[in-house]
C-alpha cells in the first residue's frame, strides 16, 4: 500500500544503480534447466507430465535461518492443495530449499546452482532483504517469476518484469512501529536492530518518523548477529531510560538482548515493539525461553500485515497449511503461528496466483503466464471471486474470468508488481498463540511518513 512516494537517498540510490547494473550485466545469462533455454535464458514450458518445482530461496542457516522454513511451510501447504486438486496442466508441484545463508556472497552461487540443477523450475519464492538485491537480477535474467519477501525500498522504483511482491517496503513498517508506540502512549524510544541488510533498512525511516511524531530517540544500538552477548548494548539501552524498544534482530540476537536487559534491569523487561518478522514460531519460542513466556508476552507488540482469520480463503489456507504439521524440515514451535506469519500467508497466495496463471495462459513458462498473475489477482470487470486454488481452477476450466482472493486479501498491483495491504497490531498469548489487538489506519501511517 502506497501512502507516500519514497524519497531515495544516497544509499538507496546507490543500491538502485547496483541492481540496475547487475540486471544489465546479467541479461545474457543462460541456464541448463528446461525452464530456460541456453540462448539468452528465455523460459519455455516444462515437458509434458513432468513435476514442476517451486524453489524457496531464503536463509536456512545463519542468524536468519528461521525464514527459510517459514516460507517452506507455505510452499508445502500450497503445492499439496494444488496437487490434490489435479495439479497444473498435467503437472504435480514440489518444493525445493535453496539456502542463501542470509548472505549475498553465498546467495549468488546458490541461485546459479539452482538454475543449473533444476530443469523443472517454475517459480521462485522467498528472496528476502538479506539477498534480494543480489539475486533478483539473476532470477529476472533467467525470465523466472519470483514472489519476494524483501521490504527494500529500491524495488519500489526499479522495474523487474518477473518480480512480484505482496509485502510493503520496510519504511512503511517503520512507520507502523512508531504508530504502535503512539497508540501505547510511549514517548521515549530506543532502537536495537541487527547488522544484517534487512534489519538495517528500518533504522533511518524509524528515526525520521520518531522525529515527526515528536518522540525522543534515546539510543540507537546495532546488534552483531554473530555475537553471543549484548551486555554493552543492553546497558546503553537501560541507561537511556526508554519507554520501549523498537527492534528486529533475528536468530538468537533479540532473545539474548532481552535476557540481558532483564538481568541488568532488576528483573524487569522494557516493552518491545517488533517487526512482522517477530511473528514466527522460532522467535516466540526463543524469546519466551529467554525471559519467560508471561514476561515476554506482557511486554510485546508487533506490526503485521492484515490477514484474514476467517471466511473461505482462510479456511482453505488453514486446512492446507496445518495438514503439513510435522512434515516441514526445520519448522519448530507452535505451528499455528505460521497462519499469521507474513511468509506463510503471502507466499501461499503467490504460489496460487502463479499456478492459476499457468492454467489461464496454458503455459508453465513465466514469460507467458506472468502477465496473467496480475489479471487473476486484480480481476477484470465481471470476474468471479474465488478463494482457493481448487475453486478458482474449476472456474477457469469452465471458461470464467476470475479474481483470486486469498488469506492475504485482495491484490492491487502497481506498475512495479507491488501489492501491499494494511497493517494490524499483534501480540502473543503465553502459549504462543498470535492475537490481533488493533489496526493501523492509512491516516496514522501517512502522518508519520518521512
Amino acid at each position: 500500500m502506497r501512502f507516500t512516494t519514497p524519497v531515495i537517498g544516497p544509499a538507496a540510490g546507490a543500491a538502485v544503480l547496483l541492481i540496475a547494473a547487475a540486471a544489465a550485466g546479467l541479461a545474457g545469462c543462460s541456464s541448463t534447466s528446461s525452464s530456460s533455454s541456453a540462448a539468452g535464458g528465455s523460459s519455455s514450458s516444462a515437458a509434458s507430465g513432468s513435476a514442476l518445482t517451486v524453489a524457496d530461496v531464503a536463509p536456512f542457516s545463519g542468524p536468519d535461518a528461521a525464514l527459510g522454513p517459514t516460507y517452506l511451510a507455505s510452499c508445502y501447504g500450497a503445492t499439496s492443495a494444488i496437487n490434490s486438486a489435479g495439479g497444473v496442466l498435467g503437472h504435480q508441484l514440489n518444493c525445493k530449499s535453496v539456502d542463501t545463508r542470509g548472505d549475498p556472497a553465498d546467495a549468488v552461487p546458490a541461485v546459479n546452482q539452482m538454475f543449473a540443477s533444476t530443469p523443472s523450475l517454475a517459480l521462485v519464492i522467498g528472496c528476502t532483504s538479506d539477498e534480494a538485491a543480489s539475486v533478483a537480477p539473476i532470477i529476472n535474467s533467467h525470465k523466472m517469476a519470483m514472489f519476494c519477501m524483501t521490504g527494500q525500498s529500491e524495488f519500489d522504483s526499479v522495474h523487474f518484469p518477473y518480480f512480484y511482491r505482496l509485502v510493503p517496503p520496510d519504511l512503511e513498517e517503520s512507520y507502523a512501529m512508531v504508530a504502535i508506540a503512539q497508540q501505547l502512549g510511549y514517548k521515549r524510544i530506543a532502537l536495537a536492530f541487527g547488522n544484517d541488510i534487512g534489519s538495517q533498512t528500518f533504522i533511518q525511516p524509524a528515526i525520521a518518523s520518531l522525529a515527526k511524531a515528536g518522540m525522543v530517540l534515546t539510543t540507537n544500538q546495532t546488534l552483531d548477529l554473530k555475537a553471543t552477548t549484548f551486555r554493552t548494548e543492553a546497558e546503553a539501552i537501560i541507561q537511556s531510560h526508554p519507554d520501549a524498544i523498537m527492534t528486529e534482530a533475528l536468530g538468537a540476537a533479540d532473545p539474548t538482548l532481552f535476557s540481558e536487559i532483564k538481568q541488568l534491569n532488576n528483573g524487569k523487561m522494557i516493552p518491545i515493539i517488533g517487526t512482522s518478522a517477530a511473528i514466527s514460531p522460532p522467535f516466540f519460542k526463543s524469546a519466551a525461553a529467554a525471559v519467560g513466556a508471561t514476561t515476554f508476552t506482557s511486554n510485546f507488540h508487533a506490526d503485521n500485515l492484515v490477514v484474514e482469520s476467517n471466511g473461505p480463503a482462510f479456511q482453505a489456507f488453514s486446512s492446507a497449511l496445518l495438514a503439513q504439521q510435522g512434515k516441514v524440515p526445520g519448522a519448530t514451535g507452535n505451528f499455528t503461528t505460521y497462519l499469521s506469519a507474513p511468509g506463510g500467508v503471502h507466499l501461499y497466495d503467490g504460489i496460487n496466483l502463479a499456478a492459476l496463471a499457468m492454467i489461464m495462459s496454458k503455459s508453465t513458462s513465466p514469460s507467458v503466464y506472468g502477465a496473467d498473475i496480475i489479471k487473476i489477482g486484480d480481476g477484470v470487470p465481471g470476474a468471479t471471486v474465488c478463494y482457493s486454488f481448487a475453486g478458482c481452477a474449476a472456474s477457469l476450466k469452465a471458461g470464467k474470468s476470475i479474481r483470486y482472493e486469498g488469506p492475504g486479501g485482495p491484490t492491487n498491483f502497481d506498475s512495479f508488481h507491488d501489492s501491499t495491504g494494511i497493517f494490524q497490531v499483534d501480540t502473543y498469548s503465553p502459549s504462543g498463540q498470535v492475537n490481533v489487538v488493533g489496526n493501523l489506519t492509512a491516516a496514522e501511517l501517512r502522518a508519520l511518513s518521512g
Side-chain angles (χ1 to χ4, degrees):
M1 180 168 48
R2 293 281 177 267
F3 301 115
T4 61
T5 301
V7 178
I8 299 179
V16 169
L17 292 176
L18 284 172
I19 291 175
L26 289 163
C29 284
S30 64
S31 170
T32 59
S33 79
S34 64
S35 294
S36 48
S37 71
S42 61
S43 53
S44 60
S45 292
S48 177
S50 63
L52 302 177
T53 298
V54 179
D56 177 6
V57 175
F60 285 85
S61 59
D64 293 350
L67 297 177
T70 298
Y71 306 158
L72 196 62
S74 62
C75 187
Y76 272 46
T79 57
S80 178
I82 290 168
N83 292 340
S84 295
V88 175
L89 303 176
H91 303 278
Q92 296 281 286
L93 275 66
N94 56 38
C95 303
K96 177 177 182 175
S97 304
V98 179
D99 186 7
T100 67
R101 303 181 183 178
D103 189 330
D106 293 312
V108 169
V111 166
N112 285 329
Q113 176 61 25
M114 171 191 72
F115 279 108
S117 62
T118 316
S120 58
L121 187 63
L123 177 68
V124 169
I125 62 170
C127 37
T128 74
S129 295
D130 286 338
E131 66 276 324
S134 298
V135 303
I138 299 174
I139 298 168
N140 191 75
S141 74
H142 283 274
K143 300 184 179 180
M144 179 54 56
M146 60 188 124
F147 278 88
C148 289
M149 291 296 295
T150 176
Q152 291 166 290
S153 297
E154 52 261 37
F155 288 101
D156 298 354
S157 55
V158 178
H159 179 63
F160 291 101
Y162 295 89
F163 175 92
Y164 300 86
R165 180 167 62 173
L166 299 175
V167 292
D170 287 338
L171 80 172
E172 290 184 5
E173 205 166 350
S174 296
Y175 307 154
M177 285 191 285
V178 176
I180 292 172
Q182 279 188 321
Q183 288 187 353
L184 296 172
Y186 299 144
K187 303 294 185 182
R188 297 172 57 83
I189 305 296
L191 302 185
F193 286 87
N195 63 348
D196 57 301
I197 296 170
S199 298
Q200 285 290 300
T201 59
F202 291 104
I203 295 175
Q204 291 308 315
I207 291 173
S209 187
L210 288 169
K212 194 161 187 178
M215 297 180 185
V216 175
L217 172 62
T218 65
T219 186
N220 179 14
Q221 298 294 317
T222 297
L223 308 182
D224 182 352
L225 299 187
K226 296 180 180 179
T228 57
T229 180
F230 300 102
R231 187 179 181 87
T232 299
E233 292 85 354
E235 288 177 336
I237 290 170
I238 293 168
Q239 292 302 316
S240 73
H241 303 292
D243 297 327
I245 304 166
M246 288 171 45
T247 185
E248 179 184 284
L250 301 183
D254 257 342
T256 301
L257 176 70
F258 301 162
S259 176
E260 292 178 337
I261 286 175
K262 183 181 178 183
Q263 292 170 16
L264 297 170
N265 197 37
N266 299 316
K268 296 180 180 180
M269 268 297 295
I270 298 171
I272 300 296
I273 300 174
T275 69
S276 58
I279 306 301
S280 76
F283 181 85
F284 173 81
K285 182 178 180 181
S286 56
V291 298
T294 300
T295 298
F296 171 64
T297 56
S298 63
N299 290 280
F300 176 81
H301 291 78
D303 69 78
N304 200 359
L305 282 179
V306 170
V307 298
E308 297 181 7
S309 57
N310 51 54
F314 176 79
Q315 290 169 5
F317 169 57
S318 176
S319 176
L321 190 69
L322 296 182
Q324 304 307 309
Q325 187 166 356
K327 302 176 183 179
V328 183
T332 62
N334 187 338
F335 200 81
T336 63
T337 304
Y338 289 126
L339 294 173
S340 301
V345 176
H346 299 291
L347 294 181
Y348 168 89
D349 281 346
I351 294 168
N352 280 340
L353 283 167
L356 291 167
M358 294 178 201
I359 293 175
M360 183 173 175
S361 67
K362 298 181 174 59
S363 174
T364 61
S365 168
S367 63
V368 178
Y369 78 70
D372 288 332
I373 288 175
I374 295 174
K375 293 177 184 176
I376 289 171
D378 291 356
V380 297
T384 298
V385 179
C386 49
Y387 305 97
S388 67
F389 173 83
C392 292
S395 293
L396 280 176
K397 292 171 184 176
K400 298 178 181 179
S401 59
I402 64 169
R403 176 169 188 171
Y404 169 78
E405 184 175 323
T411 64
N412 184 23
F413 286 102
D414 64 16
S415 60
F416 297 100
H417 295 175
D418 285 342
S419 176
T420 61
I422 58 177
F423 288 96
Q424 64 189 31
V425 184
D426 286 354
T427 62
Y428 284 110
S429 71
S431 66
Q433 184 72 36
V434 178
N435 299 314
V436 180
V437 297
N439 290 291
L440 303 173
T441 68
E444 285 179 291
L445 298 192
R446 191 180 301 115
L448 294 170
S449 63

